[in-house]
Amino acid sequence: MGGIVLLIGGYGQLGTAIRRRWTGAQIVAPPRDELDIENGESVRRAFERYRPALVVNCAAFHDVDRCEREPERAFAVNAYAVRALTHRCAEFDAAFVTISTDYVFDGRAARPYTESDAEHPLSAYAASKLAGEAAARMGGRVYVVRTCGVYGHAEHRDKPSFIDRVVARAAAGERVTISPEIVASPTFAGHLADALRSLAETGNYGLYHAVNEGPVSWFDFAAEAMRQAGVSAKPVPGSAPVRSGAAARPQYSALDCTKLARLGIRLRIWQEGIRDYLAERAVPAGGLFLDAEVSRSSAP
Ligand SMILES: NC(=O)c1ccc[n+]([C@@H]2O[C@H](COP(=O)([O-])OP(=O)(O)OC[C@H]3O[C@@H](n4cnc5c(N)ncnc54)[C@H](OP(=O)(O)O)[C@@H]3O)[C@@H](O)[C@H]2O)c1
């Protein structure tokens, strides 16, 4: 991969995985106080300073319930800022990867969604991401990649992943109640990062689904995570109480990755996502960064 990769949102789950795994790539990952995609001036400065060959946008406002209460902000980050990035990429002749979500669908399907299925967002978050997709797809050299249920190790965030939470609660002897009815395609950020790199090297621009293989209920996913983590307890089937003001979410949002597979890019099956996530957790801090050419820039 030649030229500078400008990575936005580089310290979240997916951004951290990209920095760790795109070894040999020349990645620049400005912190948010240097590059805030809501601030057009900081975006312009970053493009002028780094003149990237590829821009990867992992930044998003994706607290789904907060987006419902703050739809203007959701659209500002997930749609208008993505439109502005698309324009800057065209101006600077950079290819662009931006990430979207399974939540663009309403969950009424009985099989994994393909890229040609009709979207029907149920929430402000989903609508803002769909608007961001539309804006990005107007650009020339753009990959829009929908994913689902991302879990990984975010460098700048203490928030535990779904796996960490269920394993910790079970290990503490707490009852872990999870709905067997909600089916998705939970995806390990590390596997997604690998797939994005392969995709970005193809030059086959367009809309793609990229998730760990195999639809799975969050109940089965939690049970397998607990098993692999060596916890003997099992989750209990049931529904969490609905919080007032919570945004609607699709009950079924598994994604079909056939289009990506036609390019020879396949993500592993979901059980291997859990395995690799747990294995990565065991690596000492900093150990994975040794051969990546990562620079964390400072403000000009
Ligand atoms: N997580 C999921 O389950 C999931 C599911 C489907 C799709 N996705 C999509 O996948 C992508 C990556 O998600 P993730 O899980 O890696 O998210 P994440 O861990 O929350 O990371 C997002 C990063 O973006 C940064 N950011 C937020 N607003 C920004 C702004 N205005 N300017 C610059 N940086 C900003 C955040 O910085 P701070 O740390 O300072 O907030 C954070 O480092 C997003 O597009 C998300 O919508 C995620």
Side-chain angles (χ1 to χ4, degrees), residues 50-222:
Y50 302 116
R51 307 214 156 249
L54 172 67
V55 176
V56 182
N57 176 33
C58 301
F61 179 33
H62 67 95
D63 178 327
V64 182
D65 296 333
R66 261 188 73 196
C67 285
E68 207 63 15
R69 297 191 299 275
E70 303 173 40
E72 294 83 6
R73 175 111 203 285
F75 275 80
V77 178
N78 298 332
Y80 307 135
V82 174
R83 181 177 62 189
L85 287 172
T86 308
H87 289 159
R88 285 289 175 206
C89 286
E91 185 188 338
F92 283 79
D93 197 23
F96 185 35
V97 176
T98 193
I99 313 299
S100 192
T101 173
D102 55 317
Y103 277 20
V104 297
F105 297 113
D106 63 15
R108 294 201 191 135
R111 44 121 188 107
Y113 285 99
T114 71
E115 292 82 351
S116 45
D117 283 321
E119 304 88 355
H120 181 203
L122 300 177
S123 64
Y125 166 69
S128 69
K129 292 293 279 187
L130 186 58
E133 287 187 5
R137 292 176 72 185
M138 285 161 65
R141 297 169 54 220
V142 180
Y143 306 91
V144 175
V145 181
R146 291 181 186 143
T147 190
C148 171
V150 177
Y151 58 95
H153 304 278
E155 195 179 318
H156 275 187
R157 213 160 33 127
D158 295 333
K159 196 177 159 205
S161 69
F162 174 79
I163 294 180
D164 296 336
R165 289 197 310 271
V166 296
V167 168
R169 287 178 50 200
E174 286 177 38
R175 185 183 163 97
V176 178
T177 305
I178 300 181
S179 169
E181 252 121 68
I182 302 175
V183 173
S185 301
T187 297
F188 172 46
H191 293 171
L192 177 58
D194 294 346
L196 291 176
R197 181 176 196 161
S198 302
L199 178 63
E201 284 168 350
T202 63
N204 283 76
Y205 305 104
L207 174 66
Y208 292 90
H209 290 176
V211 291
N212 275 129
E213 193 191 313
V216 59
S217 70
W218 284 106
F219 178 86
D220 288 342
F221 184 81

